[in-house]
Short mmCIF file of all heavy atoms in Angstrom, two decimals:
data_model
loop_
_atom_site.label_atom_id
_atom_site.label_comp_id
_atom_site.label_asym_id
_atom_site.label_seq_id
_atom_site.Cartn_x
_atom_site.Cartn_y
_atom_site.Cartn_z
N TYR A 275 260.90 -28.05 156.78
CA TYR A 275 260.58 -26.59 156.76
C TYR A 275 260.66 -25.96 158.19
O TYR A 275 260.92 -24.86 158.43
CB TYR A 275 259.24 -26.38 156.20
CG TYR A 275 259.11 -26.56 154.70
CD1 TYR A 275 258.45 -27.69 154.19
CD2 TYR A 275 259.68 -25.69 153.84
CE1 TYR A 275 258.46 -27.87 152.86
CE2 TYR A 275 259.61 -25.90 152.43
CZ TYR A 275 258.91 -27.02 152.04
OH TYR A 275 258.86 -27.23 150.70
N PHE A 276 260.47 -26.79 159.24
CA PHE A 276 260.35 -26.35 160.60
C PHE A 276 261.47 -26.95 161.39
O PHE A 276 261.82 -28.15 161.25
CB PHE A 276 258.97 -26.67 161.19
CG PHE A 276 257.87 -26.17 160.33
CD1 PHE A 276 257.08 -27.13 159.69
CD2 PHE A 276 257.54 -24.91 160.20
CE1 PHE A 276 256.10 -26.77 158.88
CE2 PHE A 276 256.44 -24.44 159.42
CZ PHE A 276 255.72 -25.42 158.72
N THR A 277 262.14 -26.22 162.28
CA THR A 277 263.14 -26.67 163.12
C THR A 277 262.81 -26.50 164.62
O THR A 277 263.52 -27.11 165.42
CB THR A 277 264.42 -25.87 162.85
OG1 THR A 277 264.24 -24.49 163.01
CG2 THR A 277 264.92 -26.14 161.37
N GLU A 278 261.84 -25.75 164.90
CA GLU A 278 261.50 -25.59 166.38
C GLU A 278 260.78 -26.78 166.94
O GLU A 278 259.94 -27.36 166.32
CB GLU A 278 260.58 -24.36 166.57
CG GLU A 278 261.15 -23.03 166.18
CD GLU A 278 260.95 -22.73 164.76
OE1 GLU A 278 260.43 -23.57 163.98
OE2 GLU A 278 261.28 -21.63 164.27
N PRO A 279 261.26 -27.29 168.08
CA PRO A 279 260.74 -28.55 168.64
C PRO A 279 259.16 -28.53 168.79
O PRO A 279 258.53 -29.47 168.47
CB PRO A 279 261.39 -28.62 170.02
CG PRO A 279 262.68 -27.90 169.81
CD PRO A 279 262.34 -26.79 168.98
N ASP A 280 258.67 -27.40 169.31
CA ASP A 280 257.21 -27.28 169.47
C ASP A 280 256.46 -27.40 168.20
O ASP A 280 255.44 -28.08 168.10
CB ASP A 280 256.87 -25.94 170.13
CG ASP A 280 257.39 -25.85 171.59
OD1 ASP A 280 257.67 -26.95 172.10
OD2 ASP A 280 257.48 -24.72 172.08
N VAL A 281 256.99 -26.78 167.10
CA VAL A 281 256.33 -26.79 165.83
C VAL A 281 256.42 -28.23 165.22
O VAL A 281 255.53 -28.73 164.60
CB VAL A 281 256.93 -25.80 164.83
CG1 VAL A 281 256.30 -25.84 163.46
CG2 VAL A 281 256.79 -24.37 165.40
N GLU A 282 257.58 -28.84 165.38
CA GLU A 282 257.78 -30.24 164.85
C GLU A 282 256.80 -31.15 165.55
O GLU A 282 256.28 -32.08 164.90
CB GLU A 282 259.24 -30.65 165.03
CG GLU A 282 260.18 -30.00 164.10
CD GLU A 282 261.60 -30.52 164.20
OE1 GLU A 282 261.92 -30.94 165.30
OE2 GLU A 282 262.27 -30.52 163.18
N ALA A 283 256.61 -30.98 166.84
CA ALA A 283 255.66 -31.79 167.57
C ALA A 283 254.27 -31.67 167.16
O ALA A 283 253.47 -32.60 166.95
CB ALA A 283 255.73 -31.52 169.11
N LEU A 284 253.87 -30.30 166.82
CA LEU A 284 252.57 -30.12 166.23
C LEU A 284 252.37 -30.77 164.91
O LEU A 284 251.33 -31.35 164.59
CB LEU A 284 252.31 -28.62 166.19
CG LEU A 284 252.08 -27.85 167.52
CD1 LEU A 284 252.05 -26.38 167.23
CD2 LEU A 284 250.72 -28.40 168.12
N ALA A 285 253.43 -30.69 164.08
CA ALA A 285 253.31 -31.30 162.74
C ALA A 285 253.22 -32.85 162.81
O ALA A 285 252.42 -33.43 162.08
CB ALA A 285 254.65 -30.94 161.97
N ALA A 286 253.97 -33.43 163.74
CA ALA A 286 253.86 -34.85 163.90
C ALA A 286 252.51 -35.27 164.46
O ALA A 286 251.88 -36.29 163.97
CB ALA A 286 254.91 -35.35 164.95
N THR A 287 251.89 -34.42 165.43
CA THR A 287 250.52 -34.72 165.78
C THR A 287 249.49 -34.58 164.67
O THR A 287 248.64 -35.42 164.59
CB THR A 287 250.13 -33.70 166.92
OG1 THR A 287 251.08 -33.86 168.01
CG2 THR A 287 248.79 -33.99 167.49
N MET A 288 249.68 -33.63 163.84
CA MET A 288 248.82 -33.46 162.68
C MET A 288 248.86 -34.63 161.79
O MET A 288 247.82 -35.18 161.30
CB MET A 288 249.11 -32.14 161.90
CG MET A 288 248.19 -31.89 160.79
SD MET A 288 248.61 -30.53 159.75
CE MET A 288 250.09 -31.24 158.85
N LYS A 289 250.09 -35.19 161.54
CA LYS A 289 250.15 -36.32 160.62
C LYS A 289 249.47 -37.53 161.29
O LYS A 289 248.80 -38.34 160.51
CB LYS A 289 251.68 -36.72 160.42
CG LYS A 289 252.38 -35.73 159.58
CD LYS A 289 253.84 -36.11 159.37
CE LYS A 289 254.59 -35.13 158.54
NZ LYS A 289 256.10 -35.53 158.37
N GLU A 290 249.53 -37.65 162.57
CA GLU A 290 248.99 -38.84 163.20
C GLU A 290 247.42 -38.70 163.15
O GLU A 290 246.70 -39.70 162.89
CB GLU A 290 249.36 -38.91 164.72
CG GLU A 290 250.81 -39.41 164.89
CD GLU A 290 251.07 -40.86 164.36
OE1 GLU A 290 250.10 -41.70 164.49
OE2 GLU A 290 252.11 -41.13 163.83
N GLU A 291 246.87 -37.51 163.32
CA GLU A 291 245.48 -37.26 163.22
C GLU A 291 244.94 -37.52 161.82
O GLU A 291 243.87 -38.06 161.68
CB GLU A 291 245.20 -35.84 163.74
CG GLU A 291 245.34 -35.68 165.22
CD GLU A 291 245.08 -34.21 165.63
OE1 GLU A 291 244.91 -33.36 164.72
OE2 GLU A 291 245.05 -33.95 166.91
N LEU A 292 245.70 -37.03 160.84
CA LEU A 292 245.34 -37.28 159.42
C LEU A 292 245.30 -38.85 159.07
O LEU A 292 244.48 -39.25 158.39
CB LEU A 292 246.27 -36.56 158.50
CG LEU A 292 246.14 -35.05 158.46
CD1 LEU A 292 247.26 -34.37 157.65
CD2 LEU A 292 244.79 -34.53 158.00
N LYS A 293 246.35 -39.55 159.62
CA LYS A 293 246.40 -41.01 159.50
C LYS A 293 245.19 -41.62 160.12
O LYS A 293 244.57 -42.57 159.48
CB LYS A 293 247.72 -41.45 160.01
CG LYS A 293 247.93 -42.99 159.80
CD LYS A 293 249.22 -43.48 160.42
CE LYS A 293 249.41 -44.89 160.21
NZ LYS A 293 250.67 -45.40 160.82
N GLU A 294 244.80 -41.29 161.25
CA GLU A 294 243.64 -41.80 161.95
C GLU A 294 242.40 -41.55 161.21
O GLU A 294 241.49 -42.45 161.02
CB GLU A 294 243.47 -41.31 163.38
CG GLU A 294 244.67 -41.84 164.28
CD GLU A 294 244.49 -41.21 165.72
OE1 GLU A 294 243.45 -40.49 165.92
OE2 GLU A 294 245.45 -41.43 166.56
N LEU A 295 242.28 -40.34 160.67
CA LEU A 295 241.08 -39.92 159.87
C LEU A 295 240.98 -40.74 158.64
O LEU A 295 239.90 -41.23 158.21
CB LEU A 295 241.17 -38.39 159.58
CG LEU A 295 240.04 -37.84 158.67
CD1 LEU A 295 238.64 -38.03 159.42
CD2 LEU A 295 240.29 -36.39 158.43
N SER A 296 242.16 -40.99 157.98
CA SER A 296 242.13 -41.75 156.78
C SER A 296 241.69 -43.11 156.99
O SER A 296 240.93 -43.77 156.19
CB SER A 296 243.55 -41.77 156.12
OG SER A 296 243.58 -42.49 154.91
N GLU A 297 242.21 -43.75 158.13
CA GLU A 297 241.79 -45.13 158.46
C GLU A 297 240.32 -45.25 158.78
O GLU A 297 239.65 -46.19 158.40
CB GLU A 297 242.58 -45.56 159.69
CG GLU A 297 244.07 -45.82 159.38
CD GLU A 297 244.84 -46.13 160.56
OE1 GLU A 297 244.34 -46.07 161.71
OE2 GLU A 297 246.10 -46.42 160.54
N LYS A 298 239.67 -44.17 159.42
CA LYS A 298 238.31 -44.21 159.68
C LYS A 298 237.47 -44.09 158.38
O LYS A 298 236.45 -44.75 158.29
CB LYS A 298 237.95 -43.07 160.65
CG LYS A 298 238.48 -43.23 162.01
CD LYS A 298 238.02 -42.01 162.93
CE LYS A 298 238.56 -42.21 164.33
NZ LYS A 298 238.25 -41.00 165.22
N ILE A 299 237.93 -43.31 157.44
CA ILE A 299 237.19 -43.24 156.18
C ILE A 299 237.22 -44.54 155.40
O ILE A 299 236.27 -44.97 154.83
CB ILE A 299 237.82 -42.04 155.39
CG1 ILE A 299 237.49 -40.64 156.07
CG2 ILE A 299 237.27 -42.05 153.94
CD1 ILE A 299 238.15 -39.55 155.42
N LYS A 300 238.42 -45.12 155.44
CA LYS A 300 238.55 -46.40 154.75
C LYS A 300 237.68 -47.47 155.42
O LYS A 300 237.01 -48.30 154.74
CB LYS A 300 239.99 -46.92 154.71
CG LYS A 300 240.92 -46.19 153.79
CD LYS A 300 242.39 -46.67 153.85
CE LYS A 300 243.18 -46.02 152.82
NZ LYS A 300 243.29 -44.57 152.94
N GLU A 301 237.57 -47.49 156.69
CA GLU A 301 236.72 -48.39 157.41
C GLU A 301 235.24 -48.16 157.12
O GLU A 301 234.49 -49.04 156.92
CB GLU A 301 237.01 -48.29 158.94
CG GLU A 301 236.20 -49.20 159.78
CD GLU A 301 236.47 -49.06 161.26
OE1 GLU A 301 237.48 -48.30 161.55
OE2 GLU A 301 235.80 -49.73 162.14
N ARG A 302 234.89 -46.78 157.03
CA ARG A 302 233.54 -46.52 156.75
C ARG A 302 233.17 -46.92 155.28
O ARG A 302 231.94 -47.25 155.13
CB ARG A 302 233.36 -45.02 156.88
CG ARG A 302 231.92 -44.50 156.68
CD ARG A 302 231.91 -43.01 156.51
NE ARG A 302 232.67 -42.59 155.25
CZ ARG A 302 233.01 -41.38 154.90
NH1 ARG A 302 232.60 -40.39 155.75
NH2 ARG A 302 233.66 -41.11 153.84
N ASN A 303 234.03 -46.93 154.40
CA ASN A 303 233.75 -47.19 153.02
C ASN A 303 233.71 -48.71 152.65
O ASN A 303 233.38 -49.14 151.58
CB ASN A 303 234.82 -46.54 152.10
CG ASN A 303 234.45 -45.00 152.06
OD1 ASN A 303 233.34 -44.63 152.09
ND2 ASN A 303 235.51 -44.20 151.86
N GLU A 304 234.15 -49.55 153.64
CA GLU A 304 234.25 -50.94 153.43
C GLU A 304 232.84 -51.55 153.12
O GLU A 304 231.93 -51.30 153.83
CB GLU A 304 234.84 -51.68 154.56
CG GLU A 304 236.37 -51.48 154.67
CD GLU A 304 236.91 -52.29 155.87
OE1 GLU A 304 236.06 -52.94 156.56
OE2 GLU A 304 238.15 -52.18 156.15
N GLY A 305 232.68 -52.23 152.05
CA GLY A 305 231.49 -52.87 151.67
C GLY A 305 230.53 -51.98 150.91
O GLY A 305 229.47 -52.40 150.41
N LYS A 306 230.87 -50.69 150.78
CA LYS A 306 229.95 -49.76 150.00
C LYS A 306 230.21 -49.95 148.58
O LYS A 306 231.38 -49.98 148.04
CB LYS A 306 230.21 -48.35 150.42
CG LYS A 306 229.75 -47.96 151.85
CD LYS A 306 229.79 -46.54 152.12
CE LYS A 306 229.11 -46.21 153.43
NZ LYS A 306 229.04 -44.74 153.66
N GLU A 307 229.12 -49.87 147.76
CA GLU A 307 229.16 -49.98 146.31
C GLU A 307 229.86 -48.80 145.75
O GLU A 307 230.64 -48.96 144.75
CB GLU A 307 227.78 -50.13 145.78
CG GLU A 307 227.79 -50.35 144.27
CD GLU A 307 226.32 -50.51 143.73
OE1 GLU A 307 225.36 -50.57 144.59
OE2 GLU A 307 226.12 -50.63 142.53
N LEU A 308 229.65 -47.64 146.28
CA LEU A 308 230.22 -46.38 145.80
C LEU A 308 230.91 -45.68 146.91
O LEU A 308 230.33 -44.88 147.66
CB LEU A 308 229.21 -45.46 145.17
CG LEU A 308 229.77 -44.26 144.50
CD1 LEU A 308 230.71 -44.53 143.36
CD2 LEU A 308 228.58 -43.34 144.02
N PRO A 309 232.12 -46.04 147.26
CA PRO A 309 232.87 -45.41 148.38
C PRO A 309 233.12 -43.88 148.19
O PRO A 309 233.38 -43.52 147.02
CB PRO A 309 234.20 -46.16 148.48
CG PRO A 309 234.33 -46.72 147.12
CD PRO A 309 233.02 -47.01 146.64
N TYR A 310 233.08 -43.12 149.22
CA TYR A 310 233.30 -41.72 149.21
C TYR A 310 234.75 -41.43 149.73
O TYR A 310 234.94 -41.54 150.97
CB TYR A 310 232.28 -40.97 150.00
CG TYR A 310 232.32 -39.46 149.84
CD1 TYR A 310 231.71 -38.81 148.69
CD2 TYR A 310 233.02 -38.66 150.65
CE1 TYR A 310 231.78 -37.45 148.58
CE2 TYR A 310 233.11 -37.28 150.56
CZ TYR A 310 232.41 -36.71 149.39
OH TYR A 310 232.53 -35.34 149.32
N CYS A 311 235.67 -41.12 148.85
CA CYS A 311 237.12 -40.92 149.25
C CYS A 311 237.60 -39.57 148.99
O CYS A 311 238.83 -39.34 149.10
CB CYS A 311 237.98 -41.98 148.40
SG CYS A 311 237.44 -43.73 148.66
N TYR A 312 236.79 -38.60 148.67
CA TYR A 312 237.27 -37.30 148.25
C TYR A 312 237.91 -36.52 149.41
O TYR A 312 238.72 -35.72 149.16
CB TYR A 312 236.12 -36.51 147.60
CG TYR A 312 235.61 -37.10 146.34
CD1 TYR A 312 234.40 -37.77 146.30
CD2 TYR A 312 236.36 -37.01 145.17
CE1 TYR A 312 233.93 -38.32 145.08
CE2 TYR A 312 235.89 -37.54 143.99
CZ TYR A 312 234.68 -38.25 143.94
OH TYR A 312 234.24 -38.75 142.82
N LEU A 313 237.53 -36.81 150.62
CA LEU A 313 238.12 -36.09 151.79
C LEU A 313 239.11 -37.01 152.52
O LEU A 313 239.50 -36.61 153.64
CB LEU A 313 236.99 -35.66 152.69
CG LEU A 313 235.99 -34.62 152.09
CD1 LEU A 313 235.01 -34.23 153.12
CD2 LEU A 313 236.81 -33.41 151.59
N ASP A 314 239.52 -38.13 151.90
CA ASP A 314 240.46 -38.97 152.52
C ASP A 314 241.87 -38.25 152.47
O ASP A 314 242.40 -37.98 151.33
CB ASP A 314 240.55 -40.28 151.82
CG ASP A 314 241.44 -41.23 152.56
OD1 ASP A 314 242.19 -40.90 153.52
OD2 ASP A 314 241.43 -42.50 152.22
N PRO A 315 242.46 -37.93 153.64
CA PRO A 315 243.85 -37.32 153.59
C PRO A 315 244.84 -38.00 152.77
O PRO A 315 245.73 -37.31 152.15
CB PRO A 315 244.23 -37.17 155.04
CG PRO A 315 242.93 -37.22 155.80
CD PRO A 315 242.10 -38.13 155.00
N ALA A 316 244.78 -39.31 152.73
CA ALA A 316 245.75 -40.09 151.90
C ALA A 316 245.58 -39.78 150.43
O ALA A 316 246.50 -40.12 149.64
CB ALA A 316 245.79 -41.53 152.27
N GLU A 317 244.39 -39.29 150.02
CA GLU A 317 244.18 -39.16 148.64
C GLU A 317 244.27 -37.77 148.23
O GLU A 317 244.00 -37.33 147.07
CB GLU A 317 242.68 -39.68 148.25
CG GLU A 317 242.47 -41.14 148.56
CD GLU A 317 243.37 -42.03 147.73
OE1 GLU A 317 243.70 -41.66 146.62
OE2 GLU A 317 243.68 -43.19 148.18
N ILE A 318 244.53 -36.80 149.17
CA ILE A 318 244.65 -35.39 148.93
C ILE A 318 246.10 -35.02 148.75
O ILE A 318 246.96 -35.27 149.62
CB ILE A 318 243.98 -34.57 150.03
CG1 ILE A 318 242.47 -34.93 150.16
CG2 ILE A 318 244.11 -33.05 149.76
CD1 ILE A 318 241.84 -34.22 151.27
N GLU A 319 246.44 -34.25 147.70
CA GLU A 319 247.80 -33.92 147.49
C GLU A 319 248.17 -32.79 148.45
O GLU A 319 247.34 -31.86 148.71
CB GLU A 319 248.05 -33.48 146.07
CG GLU A 319 249.54 -33.28 145.70
CD GLU A 319 249.73 -33.07 144.15
OE1 GLU A 319 248.70 -33.04 143.46
OE2 GLU A 319 250.87 -32.95 143.79
N ASN A 320 249.43 -32.77 148.86
CA ASN A 320 249.90 -31.72 149.84
C ASN A 320 249.89 -30.30 149.20
O ASN A 320 249.49 -29.40 149.86
CB ASN A 320 251.37 -32.10 150.33
CG ASN A 320 251.73 -31.30 151.54
OD1 ASN A 320 250.92 -31.23 152.46
ND2 ASN A 320 252.83 -30.72 151.48
N SER A 321 250.32 -30.19 147.98
CA SER A 321 250.30 -28.94 147.27
C SER A 321 250.45 -29.26 145.79
O SER A 321 250.87 -30.28 145.37
CB SER A 321 251.46 -28.04 147.77
OG SER A 321 252.73 -28.61 147.51
N VAL A 322 250.13 -28.16 145.03
CA VAL A 322 250.18 -28.28 143.53
C VAL A 322 250.98 -27.13 143.04
O VAL A 322 250.82 -25.94 143.41
CB VAL A 322 248.78 -28.30 142.91
CG1 VAL A 322 248.88 -28.31 141.38
CG2 VAL A 322 247.97 -29.47 143.38
#
Side-chain angles (χ1 to χ4, degrees):
Y275 290 104
F276 309 106
T277 58
E278 297 85 354
D280 292 342
V281 179
E282 288 185 329
L284 289 173
T287 302
M288 183 186 73
K289 289 182 182 179
E290 288 298 324
E291 292 177 351
L292 291 174
K293 183 179 178 181
E294 292 178 5
L295 179 60
S296 181
E297 292 174 352
K298 289 181 180 179
I299 293 176
K300 286 181 173 62
E301 182 180 350
R302 183 195 63 188
N303 286 328
E304 287 182 1
K306 287 192 175 183
E307 183 178 355
L308 185 62
Y310 188 85
C311 303
Y312 295 105
L313 297 180
D314 186 349
E317 303 294 333
I318 300 176
E319 190 172 0
N320 194 48
S321 61
V322 177

